[in-house]
Amino acid sequence: NVGGTNGLKALNIGTIGGAADAASAVFSGTVDATTITMTAGEAGNETALATFTGNVGTTTLALIGGGNASADATATVISPTFTAASITLDDVTGQSLFKTSGTTAQTIAGAITGVSDTDGSIQNSNTAGTVTFTGAIGGGSNTLETITLDNSTSTTFASTVDMTTFTIGTTATVDVTAAVSVGGVLTVGDGSTIVINTGLGDGSTAFTTTNSATVNDNDGVADVTVTLPSNFTSGTLNLIDDSAQDLTA
């Protein structure tokens, strides 16, 4: 365990003090540190990679991409519980990616934001259990670039979600409790399930797409299933509303 008895002040992975080297770490036990910072380098393939297997507790997780398109900062979370007051994603020139890939249900507790608008990506690759994000994701001038829910995954968003590109994979399930804003392209895969939770009801809109977004409903083989909230008994609940143009499928 790292910081098991007394939590660390800081845990740094990647570029430190101007060094420009690739860095990779696997944490098999629990991690407790006030700040966790992952910083990629300035040249090609100078990545900052970390895999967290045990539960993690931190005040701030910062993922900072490097000065090259292939200099990425990627946190792969297998932990059943990852708790952070704030998770910030900064692409710079590379990419900052927060990825869940557990073998059981996972809870990601904390707000996730881009340092600048359209910075950072989230990917859920856990096909063994539901991944629950409890905090707000993106929003305002800190929207994320992409959220990708891989095929056959199950994801619950307990708060608002705001990103440019949202991809719901084939036979994936997504459960939303609050409004989801998509500034680019929303793709809904074959056989997927959208669960509208009780936080949304009469007069609500589940997905709002802006900037002339398109909705790719790839249900040529299997239909998309929409489950309405149990407290919605009358009125109008909008599934998808585009503020700029008619939707295309």
Side-chain angles (χ1 to χ4, degrees), residues 82-106:
F82 193 105
T83 303
S86 174
I87 298 172
T88 60
L89 308 180
D90 186 2
D91 285 342
V92 189
T93 303
Q95 183 185 39
S96 53
L97 172 64
F98 185 91
K99 180 179 181 180
T100 53
S101 187
T103 57
T104 185
Q106 296 178 267

Side-chain angles (χ1 to χ4, degrees), residues 20-194:
D21 294 308
S24 179
V26 176
F27 298 95
S28 299
T30 60
V31 175
D32 184 1
T34 301
T35 62
I36 302 173
T37 304
M38 299 173 55
T39 309
E42 294 301 312
N45 300 315
E46 289 180 351
T47 55
L49 309 175
T51 298
F52 300 94
T53 301
N55 290 335
V56 176
T58 184
T59 301
T60 302
L61 169 68
L63 305 185
I64 306 170
N68 184 279
S70 63
D72 301 332
T74 302
T76 300
V77 177
I78 301 175
S79 321
T81 302
F82 193 105
T83 303
S86 174
I87 298 172
T88 60
L89 308 180
D90 186 2
D91 285 342
V92 189
T93 303
Q95 183 185 39
S96 53
L97 172 64
F98 185 91
K99 180 179 181 180
T100 53
S101 187
T103 57
T104 185
Q106 296 178 267
T107 299
I108 311 301
I112 304 177
T113 58
V115 169
S116 300
D117 205 19
T118 69
D119 256 348
S121 299
I122 294 174
Q123 180 179 2
N124 180 17
S125 298
N126 180 352
T127 58
T130 298
V131 177
T132 300
F133 293 88
T134 66
I137 297 177
S141 61
N142 302 102
T143 63
L144 299 191
E145 181 181 7
T146 64
I147 294 180
T148 302
L149 310 180
D150 287 356
N151 296 345
S152 303
T153 56
S154 177
T155 311
T156 295
F157 295 105
S159 187
T160 55
V161 183
D162 193 348
M163 90 302 298
T164 299
T165 302
F166 193 18
T167 302
I168 302 169
T170 300
T171 65
T173 298
V174 57
D175 185 320
V176 296
T177 301
V180 177
S181 297
V182 183
V185 178
L186 169 64
T187 299
V188 182
D190 293 343
S192 58
T193 299
I194 298 173

